[in-house]
Amino acid sequence: MNEVKGSAGLPDTLVFRLGTLGAVVGDRFAGRIERLDLKPKHVGLLTALGQGSFASQQDLAGRLGVAPSLVVSLADHLESLGALRRVRDPQDRRRQVLTLTDRGHELLAACTAEATTLDGELTAHLDEPERRALHATLGSLATRAGLSTA
Amino acid sequence: MNEVKGSAGLPDTLVFRLGTLGAVVGDRFAGRIERLDLKPKHVGLLTALGQGSFASQQDLAGRLGVAPSLVVSLADHLESLGALRRVRDPQDRRRQVLTLTDRGHELLAACTAEATTLDGELTAHLDEPERRALHATLGSLATRAGLSTA
DNA sequence: TATTGTTATACTCTATAACTATA
DNA sequence: TATAGTTATAGAGTATAACAATA
């Protein structure tokens, strides 16, 4: 009498589920990479660098959807960890080319391992076809949402 | 030679996908409810109140996973919008019982409509069985992640 | 003395704007 | 004059800790 039953409630929407799950899972992931002295945004930068090379830090900022000044501080931290090197572009000495070091690749691998472990914990109750379907569908959602992961 | 192909890369993990999707979708949702003078955290509080009654603001804080002081400011704002009322519990006058007003239910419905619209945009490329499967799987993930939505 | 809600304060994150150097 | 990166500053969001009222 006092509850709307026919239409889906807010907690049943994809938007609500993705938002809350993303926040919780993100926090949990943050806890796991804390020992590496990294935060999710650093991992985002490492990942972007691991996927291809970018002409400039400003390109990176656009790709990550953050302000260029934030790329500076993220890169500062990663540089202090020995994870990346800044090299001036001889063609245009205003630009800095960021490249992952061996240590950077190690850190990226360690983060991937943590994420994979968490994945396993989250999907332990799913069978293999369900896992694959979820993976594929989230991939297509990401593309649709404008997250060019590839 | 320089890329690990066998194991899944970080962007292919559930953790990464959920984290980035959650952030993007959350931001987009925030943009849509801005005209209602609400932010996602307010919607979280409205939703919790819409689902059941809670003995105290501190219960609410625990449920939402935020500090009790934050519940105060969220409730202040919602009260100023006429969305909820604070009533002192006569049994224990230290406690305030928060209840949604008609306006609060209206706002909750408006947020649900926005979320549903966004859902449609995100899943327009999926067929109905895929949508249902995604919904069900995310629901089970939420439960597993400790988000008692029900 | 313990607990609820509130207020005061401080900290984290991130963006905007000013600045430096190169072009 | 315009652009890349950096630095300085400011704002939002949230937590911690002190406080007042009630138990």
Side-chain angles (χ1 to χ4, degrees):
Chain A
M1 198 72 93
N2 46 7
E3 288 295 326
V4 181
K5 275 290 190 39
S7 57
L10 187 45
D12 299 320
T13 62
L14 215 58
V15 165
F16 191 91
R17 285 256 160 82
L18 283 176
T20 51
L21 259 178
V24 168
V25 170
D27 281 356
R28 206 177 292 186
F29 180 63
R32 309 254 178 138
I33 59 174
E34 207 172 6
R35 67 181 177 83
L36 301 171
D37 201 7
L38 294 176
K39 301 192 174 175
K41 282 269 152 74
H42 298 122
V43 179
L45 180 48
L46 286 177
T47 301
L49 289 177
Q51 283 183 316
S53 40
F54 292 85
S56 68
Q57 292 185 194
Q58 306 219 348
D59 289 342
L60 245 346
R63 161 65 172 267
L64 298 177
V66 300
S69 61
L70 183 54
V71 175
V72 174
S73 61
L74 293 175
D76 280 351
H77 183 68
L78 290 173
E79 195 175 29
S80 81
L81 293 178
L84 61 78
R85 258 191 297 269
R86 281 175 161 111
V87 215
R88 287 240 170 250
D89 181 348
Q91 246 88 54
D92 181 344
R93 293 187 38 75
R94 292 173 303 181
R95 298 191 168 192
Q96 311 250 48
V97 179
L98 305 184
T99 53
L100 287 185
T101 62
D102 288 348
R103 179 61 185 150
H105 285 286
E106 280 173 25
L107 283 173
L108 189 50
C111 292
T112 305
E114 291 291 354
T116 303
T117 302
L118 240 182
D119 272 20
E121 294 171 14
L122 286 171
T123 62
H125 64 304
L126 301 178
D127 59 29
E128 199 48 39
E130 284 172 329
R131 249 186 292 249
R132 266 197 297 270
L134 175 61
H135 187 277
T137 309
L138 285 185
S140 73
L141 278 187
T143 303
R144 189 156 188 95
L147 295 169
S148 54
T149 270
Chain B
M1 197 72 95
N2 45 6
E3 287 297 324
V4 182
K5 275 287 189 44
S7 57
L10 188 43
D12 298 320
T13 61
L14 215 58
V15 165
F16 190 91
R17 285 256 159 83
L18 282 176
T20 51
L21 260 178
V24 168
V25 170
D27 281 355
R28 208 178 291 186
F29 180 63
R32 310 253 177 137
I33 59 174
E34 207 171 8
R35 66 181 178 83
L36 301 171
D37 201 8
L38 294 176
K39 301 193 174 176
K41 283 269 152 76
H42 298 123
V43 178
L45 181 46
L46 285 178
T47 301
L49 289 177
Q51 283 184 314
S53 42
F54 291 86
S56 68
Q57 292 184 195
Q58 306 219 347
D59 288 343
L60 245 345
R63 162 65 173 266
L64 298 177
V66 301
S69 61
L70 183 54
V71 174
V72 174
S73 61
L74 294 174
D76 280 351
H77 183 68
L78 290 173
E79 195 175 29
S80 81
L81 293 178
L84 61 77
R85 257 189 297 271
R86 280 174 162 113
V87 213
R88 287 240 169 250
D89 181 348
Q91 246 88 54
D92 180 344
R93 294 187 38 75
R94 291 173 304 182
R95 296 189 170 193
Q96 311 249 48
V97 179
L98 305 183
T99 54
L100 287 185
T101 62
D102 289 348
R103 179 63 185 147
H105 285 287
E106 279 172 25
L107 283 173
L108 190 49
C111 291
T112 306
E114 292 291 356
T116 303
T117 302
L118 240 182
D119 272 20
E121 294 170 14
L122 286 171
T123 63
H125 63 305
L126 300 179
D127 59 29
E128 199 48 38
E130 283 172 330
R131 249 186 291 248
R132 266 198 296 272
L134 175 60
H135 188 278
T137 310
L138 285 186
S140 72
L141 279 187
T143 304
R144 188 156 190 96
L147 294 171
S148 53
T149 270

